[in-house]
């Protein structure tokens, strides 16, 4: 089993990831991605709005962390398609996270945000379930990491990103 746990002591942009992960990990990563919204829902099931919308300095609130995850689902699907199409480079992300900062996620309730995440993640899962073994062998260059990634590597990356934000959310609600 491939170990998937966040490198919580390392800033997200400083983390490193393995490349060329074997297709034997597909089902494991698919399950992690599929189960994540339910895990998040369990953690936040009794989180009051005054806690989920509170910002700590310039850091995102719980709601903004969830909103960020919702916004990134489209990027993940684009990057999975980039790999499947054999593009040399994956599409880039807005590393300044402008869309998250400009959205009004704190005007929403946690349940609504999680439902939106479920909906977006389901689209990603359906797409991944349709992949062929040939698709799993293709690679594209990750724009920030400057390393080739296959579908499984990107699934691992997304699962780690989920865990990074889960850890962040848990520390926010733990400090309230």
């Amino acid at each position: 089993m491939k170990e998937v746990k966040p490198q919580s002591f390392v800033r997200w942009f400083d983390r490193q990831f393995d490349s060329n992960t074997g297709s034997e990990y597909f089902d494991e990563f698919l399950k992690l991605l599929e189960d994540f919204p339910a895990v998040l829902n369990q953690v936040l099931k009794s989180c009051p709005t005054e806690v989920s919308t509170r910002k700590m300095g310039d850091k995102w609130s719980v709601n903004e962390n969830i909103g960020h995850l919702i916004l990134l689902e489209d990027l993940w699907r684009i990057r999975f398609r980039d790999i499947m199409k054999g593009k040399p480079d994956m599409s880039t992300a807005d590393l300044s996270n402008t869309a998250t900062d400009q959205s009004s996620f704190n005007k929403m309730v946690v349940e609504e945000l999680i439902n939106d995440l479920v909906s977006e993640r389901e689209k990603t899962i359906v797409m991944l379930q349709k992949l062929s073994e040939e698709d799993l062998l293709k690679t594209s260059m990750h724009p920030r990491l400057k390393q080739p990634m296959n579908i499984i590597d990107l699934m691992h990356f997304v699962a780690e990103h989920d865990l990074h934000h889960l850890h962040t959310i848990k520390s926010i609600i733990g400090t309230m």
Side-chain angles (χ1 to χ4, degrees):
M1 177 178 273
K2 186 126 176 131
E3 187 174 353
V4 180
K5 61 181 180 179
Q7 305 166 45
S8 56
F9 56 91
V10 178
R11 284 178 2 110
W12 177 254
F13 289 131
D14 294 336
R15 293 184 188 188
Q16 298 297 312
F17 293 87
D18 294 333
S19 287
N20 205 23
T21 306
S23 61
E24 67 271 17
Y25 294 108
F26 179 83
D27 291 337
E28 180 181 339
F29 286 126
L30 186 69
K31 179 127 181 72
L32 285 171
L33 296 176
E34 194 170 22
D35 291 349
F36 178 73
V39 170
L40 189 59
N41 189 48
Q42 185 67 27
V43 167
L44 296 171
K45 68 181 177 181
S46 61
C47 183
T49 301
E50 61 270 11
V51 172
S52 73
T53 59
R54 188 176 302 149
K55 293 177 73 83
M56 303 296 288
D58 63 346
K59 302 293 185 192
W60 289 336
S61 67
V62 169
N63 283 21
E64 289 167 325
N65 273 275
I66 301 168
H68 172 73
L69 294 171
I70 294 165
L71 292 173
L72 282 180
E73 279 303 307
D74 189 50
L75 175 65
W76 303 145
R77 289 190 297 272
I78 290 168
R79 285 182 173 178
F80 286 125
R81 283 192 292 272
D82 289 345
I83 295 170
M84 291 183 313
K85 291 177 182 175
K87 289 189 173 183
D89 299 302
M90 289 181 214
S91 298
T92 59
D94 172 13
L95 298 181
S96 65
N97 293 302
T98 305
T100 301
D101 292 332
Q102 292 179 348
S103 295
S104 299
F105 294 120
N106 284 330
K107 293 181 180 176
M108 300 172 74
V109 295
V110 168
E111 295 80 12
E112 182 181 2
L113 289 164
I114 291 175
N115 287 339
D116 288 352
L117 179 60
V118 167
S119 177
E120 288 301 312
R121 182 57 61 93
E122 284 176 353
K123 294 175 193 174
T124 304
I125 297 302
V126 167
M127 184 182 87
L128 290 170
Q129 289 172 330
K130 294 178 181 177
L131 297 177
S132 69
E133 189 66 36
E134 182 181 305
D135 291 327
L136 300 180
L137 300 174
K138 297 174 184 175
T139 63
S140 290
M141 188 69 67
H142 187 281
R144 179 176 58 82
L145 298 174
K146 302 293 186 215
Q147 68 186 54
M149 292 181 122
N150 62 29
I151 295 285
I152 312 301
D153 297 330
L154 185 56
M155 291 171 75
H156 180 196
F157 182 89
V158 174
E160 285 281 349
H161 187 260
D162 286 348
L163 289 176
H164 167 76
H165 283 279
L166 180 63
H167 174 77
T168 300
I169 288 167
K170 283 181 173 182
S171 40
I172 293 169
I173 63 177
T175 60
M176 303 297 160

